[in-house]
Amino acid sequence: MRLGITMFATDLTMPPHELAREAEERGFASLYIPEHTHIPVARTTAPPTGDATLAPEYARTLDPFVALAAAAVVTERITLGTGILLPAQREPIVTAKAVATLDRLAGGRVALGVGYGWNAEEGADHGVPWKRRRAVVREHVLAMRELWTRDEASFKGEFVSFEASWSWPKPAGRVPVLLGGAPGPTLFAHIAEYGDGWLPIGGAGIREALPDLRRACAEAGRDMVPVVPFGTVPSAEKLDHYASAGVEEVVLRVPAGGRDAVLPVLDEYARAYL
């Protein structure tokens, strides 16, 4: 089983490119970092963690593509991913070029973990029609895939439309798009249609959900997609449980802190599980 790392990277944490280098040296397979463009001060949306107040790091996240570009320069093998990106809040033509450029410079090592978003106020500032955000994410990902794969790309949808266009660079290979979210028929239908895998946050309830995801993939005429439990606090029992369910990669959480807080945890994970 491959093991990756995720950290809530901010301007106050260990720099992601340093973490990527340290993780690669220890044998970890991937590094994922999150995205929030900003956090409106006045909010009615409850924190996704269930806490009474939103943790301050949500307002301090780094731009994921700039941070991962820095990581690409100092690493050779480790997968560099977003966990998670918010495509509904991004202009897809510009984002497609950023992803393709990063993947070319990284030698085909980029993965996109994407989500629908939880902060309605943040989405509103980007003009996201909140109740339609799943449809927006779908079109943005499909439009980016067209730009990544076709010499003359075009797209006509409800939220994205552009005539036949040239856009280079193309990614070095297929950029996998892993959809995050709680299990359910809508999410699994979207994964089966346009995703390359499921990125369940925390990883609870995976075994029970696998038959539904497998069924959705079969109904779409495709093989079962990978499942990558994300942000997991590991134990030997938990990793054995994932392995017995056919999981081939798990992304482990390290604290959002400086080197003194992060590296001992990274060393502990490496000694115990690699």
Side-chain angles (χ1 to χ4, degrees):
M1 178 184 289
R2 298 184 304 276
L3 296 180
I5 294 295
T6 184
M7 180 181 72
F8 212 113
T10 76
D11 59 324
L12 301 179
T13 65
M14 180 179 181
H17 63 281
E18 295 183 8
L19 177 57
R21 184 172 55 220
E22 298 284 356
E24 183 175 81
E25 288 177 355
R26 288 162 175 78
F28 290 95
S30 56
L31 170 68
Y32 287 80
I33 61 173
E35 169 180 58
H36 281 282
T37 55
H38 69 302
I39 298 295
V41 174
R43 292 186 307 102
T44 60
T45 307
T49 56
D51 298 322
T53 59
L54 187 66
E57 57 259 31
Y58 281 85
R60 308 190 75 105
T61 55
L62 305 179
D63 178 277
F65 296 134
V66 175
L68 293 175
V73 172
V74 297
T75 57
E76 296 179 354
R77 301 175 305 279
I78 196 167
T79 295
L80 304 170
T82 56
I84 50 94
L85 192 77
L86 300 170
Q89 299 179 184
R90 285 183 161 268
E91 199 284 323
I93 299 174
V94 173
T95 304
K97 183 175 284 285
V99 173
T101 301
L102 175 60
D103 194 62
R104 295 293 297 192
L105 297 178
R109 293 187 285 133
V110 172
L112 287 188
V114 306
Y116 301 110
W118 60 267
N119 190 339
E121 290 76 32
E122 180 183 1
D125 288 345
H126 290 281
V128 178
W130 196 244
K131 293 184 178 180
R132 304 290 317 286
R133 66 190 186 279
R134 288 177 180 266
V136 176
V137 169
R138 173 184 175 274
E139 283 198 8
H140 283 198
V141 172
L142 290 173
M144 289 193 293
R145 188 69 76 190
E146 290 292 305
L147 290 161
W148 293 334
T149 57
R150 296 187 182 276
D151 286 349
E152 292 189 4
S154 62
F155 194 89
K156 292 190 182 300
E158 181 181 356
F159 305 102
V160 185
S161 182
F162 52 87
E163 299 298 330
S165 301
W166 296 316
S167 179
W168 277 274
K170 305 299 183 187
R174 181 177 177 88
V175 176
V177 175
L178 312 175
L179 273 66
T186 301
L187 176 67
F188 288 168
H190 282 190
I191 292 172
E193 180 195 3
Y194 68 88
D196 297 288
W198 179 28
L199 201 68
I201 309 301
I206 286 176
R207 184 182 293 275
E208 295 76 13
L210 286 178
D212 290 337
L213 178 56
R214 189 173 289 109
R215 187 179 308 111
C217 291
E219 291 173 354
R222 61 183 299 189
D223 294 336
M224 177 63 172
V225 298
V227 177
V228 183
F230 184 81
T232 297
V233 177
S235 68
E237 295 76 14
K238 189 181 294 185
L239 295 180
D240 287 345
H241 172 74
Y242 290 149
S244 70
V247 169
E248 296 181 353
E249 181 174 0
V250 180
V251 178
L252 311 180
R253 185 170 76 227
V254 298
R259 293 177 62 90
D260 291 346
V262 173
L263 292 184
V265 176
L266 203 64
D267 286 334
E268 177 186 347
Y269 289 171
R271 285 193 300 268
Y273 307 119
L274 289 180

